[in-house]
Amino acid sequence: MSTDDKNRAIAAAILPLVGGAGNISSVAHCMTRLRLGLRDRSLVRDEALKALPSVMGVVEDDTYQIVLGPGTVARVTPEFEALVAAGAAQAPAHSAEELADRGAALKAARKAKNATPFKLFLRKIANIFVPLIPALIGCGIIAGLNGLLVNLGLLPGVTPALAAIASGFMALIAVFVGYNTAKEFGGTPILGGAVAAIIVYAGVAKVEVFGQALSPGQGGVLGALGAAVLAVHVEKWCRRRVPESLDVLVTPTLTVLVSGLVTVYGLMFVAGEISQGIGDFADWLLENAGAGAGFLLGGLFLPLVMLGLHQALIPIHTTLIEQQGYTVLLPILAMAGAGQVGAAMAVYLKLPRNGSLRRTVKSALPAGFLGVGEPLIYGVSLPLGRPFVTACVGGAFGGGFIGLFTMLGDKVGSTAIGPSGWALFPLLDGDKGLGTTLAIYAGGLVVGYLVGFAATYFWGFSHEMIEEFDVDTEAVAASAPVVAGPGATGRDPEPEPEPAQA
């Protein structure tokens, strides 16, 4: 089967299990998940969906999220969209309305539960930056390759071109942030990009604000975000007041002019100070309290993910990458995944008779080593309870290990966001050479694995949990009595055998 046929088959297997094309109101994807808007949640067959070999797990938030893994989700999503479009075209005209009416109450209740103002704001921020991650990863890997070639003195005629390729996107990232911000907040995307482009324009160096000359790029992604939000508000104000006959001329002009002036004479300076403060604080925190800060960040990251609050870190990562060339926070946060891997291995050894759970661990561990933690979190540690906590302990010690070396002067950073685990190795950078950086990060992973394993093996299970979960679930299901009608066998049932002694 070709790759296209395989992806189409995955999409075709998923669609009927989520209620068919008529039940889909929106389709999107992130790094690992297919995100579906559903009209009627009750039509989804969760267990059948989780049983598909290609599905690593499901998560329910404001959208129904199916974990397919990096790479796979980007290829399956277009096939799924095509099937939804074809199914919608064949469906009766009234089917979508009927489904919408039937699921309206459930959908409203679910949205009300998740749609707190703060979480909605964070989700908008994440939606601005997540589409940029593929370019950050690609350019980050090229930058790492170029740095390696420069250090080795190889291909001197090619390295300048690689430097330009790796740096071009970061030089203009403010424009992409402005474009996505305007799109997310309901404005015209190109106007948001136009206003944000002022920040990276070389000519701003001729402008003085508060007695200081501006620098191209000052304010970075935070300034671009603020400028685009302002542009959206100015544009909406103009749309409400400018006559339709003049709208096409007046609204874009006023939007760019007003937002541009505020950006040049206010936002760039303010956002620049904030960005500088973020960088200085991150450096100070890890240089003076690196071990403790790493311990807290590595241990609390997974709970932040569960609450959706990790999205607030995305603009901080991007700001640090803009300023320093890498974010020192991501390698520490990646240790949370190492703790999950160690905990999962302990679960595998602690429950030798639970074949079903052991198969889940075996299938999810490769993805866990590569930094895709959802299958282990939602399929293993979180349902068991205590292993999730002990996994966080492993992440805390791994983060503390990397933070300790930062205190000692050996910074470990990532040139992009998105990957984790072993997948982060090609993106690592630091201030003491690539070999030292790789060794410290690998040491952190090993500490996370070992502590997550030990904490889970020795403290992750109570006696009651062992009795409950360390059972042969398949044998129990096979030996379950079949209820037959009176006289079906013509004789009394045989007594059940005594249970085997442990």
Side-chain angles (χ1 to χ4, degrees), residues 23-223:
N23 195 36
I24 307 299
S25 60
S26 65
V27 180
H29 74 88
C30 60
M31 289 291 293
T32 59
R33 305 177 188 180
L34 175 64
R35 298 172 180 258
L36 304 179
L38 302 176
R39 294 190 172 92
D40 188 346
R41 171 65 179 80
S42 65
L43 297 179
V44 178
R45 296 160 58 189
D46 294 283
E47 296 306 318
L49 195 59
K50 293 176 185 177
L52 293 178
S54 55
V55 174
M56 298 178 178
V58 298
V59 181
E60 188 166 1
D61 195 5
D62 62 318
T63 56
Y64 190 79
Q65 302 171 15
I66 302 171
V67 183
L68 298 176
T72 301
V73 68
R75 292 168 172 80
V76 171
T77 300
E79 302 291 349
F80 189 86
E81 289 175 326
L83 291 176
V84 170
Q90 297 172 2
H94 60 276
S95 61
E97 296 178 1
E98 291 174 353
L99 286 171
D101 292 339
R102 190 155 33 120
L106 184 61
K107 183 177 180 181
R110 187 176 71 252
K111 281 196 170 184
K113 180 181 178 181
N114 292 300
T116 63
F118 185 60
K119 284 189 177 182
L120 288 175
F121 174 75
L122 290 181
R123 196 167 292 128
K124 283 182 177 290
I125 298 299
N127 290 342
I128 292 168
F129 288 93
V130 166
L132 306 180
I133 290 177
L136 284 169
I137 293 173
C139 294
I141 291 176
I142 294 171
L145 174 62
N146 184 63
L148 181 63
L149 293 174
V150 171
N151 291 334
L152 295 175
L154 299 176
L155 302 178
V158 176
T159 51
L162 291 179
I165 294 170
S167 304
F169 173 74
M170 288 305 303
L172 297 175
I173 190 173
V175 179
F176 297 101
V177 169
Y179 183 95
N180 287 348
T181 300
K183 180 179 179 181
E184 187 65 27
F185 282 85
T188 301
I190 198 65
L191 293 180
V195 174
I198 298 169
I199 293 173
V200 296
Y201 175 56
V204 297
K206 301 177 181 179
V207 180
E208 287 193 4
V209 178
F210 305 119
Q212 300 179 21
L214 294 176
S215 301
Q218 185 173 339
V221 294
L222 297 183

Side-chain angles (χ1 to χ4, degrees), residues 149-433:
L149 293 174
V150 171
N151 291 334
L152 295 175
L154 299 176
L155 302 178
V158 176
T159 51
L162 291 179
I165 294 170
S167 304
F169 173 74
M170 288 305 303
L172 297 175
I173 190 173
V175 179
F176 297 101
V177 169
Y179 183 95
N180 287 348
T181 300
K183 180 179 179 181
E184 187 65 27
F185 282 85
T188 301
I190 198 65
L191 293 180
V195 174
I198 298 169
I199 293 173
V200 296
Y201 175 56
V204 297
K206 301 177 181 179
V207 180
E208 287 193 4
V209 178
F210 305 119
Q212 300 179 21
L214 294 176
S215 301
Q218 185 173 339
V221 294
L222 297 183
L225 196 155
V229 170
L230 175 62
V232 170
H233 285 289
V234 173
E235 180 186 0
K236 290 181 177 180
W237 185 90
C238 291
R239 300 285 185 203
R240 292 193 299 266
R241 290 167 174 80
V242 174
E244 291 185 9
S245 58
L246 300 176
D247 182 71
V248 70
L249 297 175
V250 174
T251 298
T253 304
L254 287 179
T255 298
V256 174
L257 178 62
V258 174
S259 304
L261 289 173
V262 174
T263 298
V264 170
Y265 288 104
L267 279 177
M268 286 185 66
F269 180 83
V270 173
E273 295 299 308
I274 295 174
S275 299
Q276 187 63 44
I278 290 173
D280 292 343
F281 178 73
D283 288 340
W284 176 88
L285 182 65
L286 294 178
E287 288 171 2
N288 294 277
F295 188 90
L296 289 175
L297 289 171
L300 295 177
F301 183 62
L302 286 181
L304 288 176
V305 172
M306 304 302 300
L307 295 172
L309 301 178
H310 66 295
Q311 296 168 339
L313 296 171
I314 297 177
I316 296 176
H317 287 311
T318 311
T319 298
L320 291 174
I321 292 172
E322 262 195 322
Q323 286 184 345
Q324 304 175 3
Y326 51 79
T327 168
V328 292
L329 298 180
L330 186 59
I332 292 175
L333 300 177
M335 296 301 107
Q340 283 291 328
V341 169
M345 290 189 287
V347 169
Y348 185 86
L349 295 180
K350 200 73 173 177
L351 304 178
R353 289 185 285 185
N354 193 325
S356 174
L357 188 57
R358 283 163 67 91
R359 277 197 303 274
T360 299
V361 172
K362 287 176 66 176
S363 64
L365 268 179
F369 279 114
L370 293 174
V372 182
E374 287 97 335
L376 290 177
I377 295 173
Y378 296 108
V380 180
S381 65
L382 191 60
L384 292 174
R386 283 171 65 166
F388 179 78
V389 177
T390 52
C392 292
V393 173
F397 276 88
F401 179 88
I402 294 181
L404 175 62
F405 276 90
T406 304
M407 285 182 65
L408 299 175
D410 296 315
K411 286 186 179 180
V412 178
S414 170
T415 57
I417 58 177
S420 183
W422 293 359
L424 196 61
F425 275 108
L427 296 169
L428 292 177
D429 197 1
D431 58 355
K432 291 296 178 64

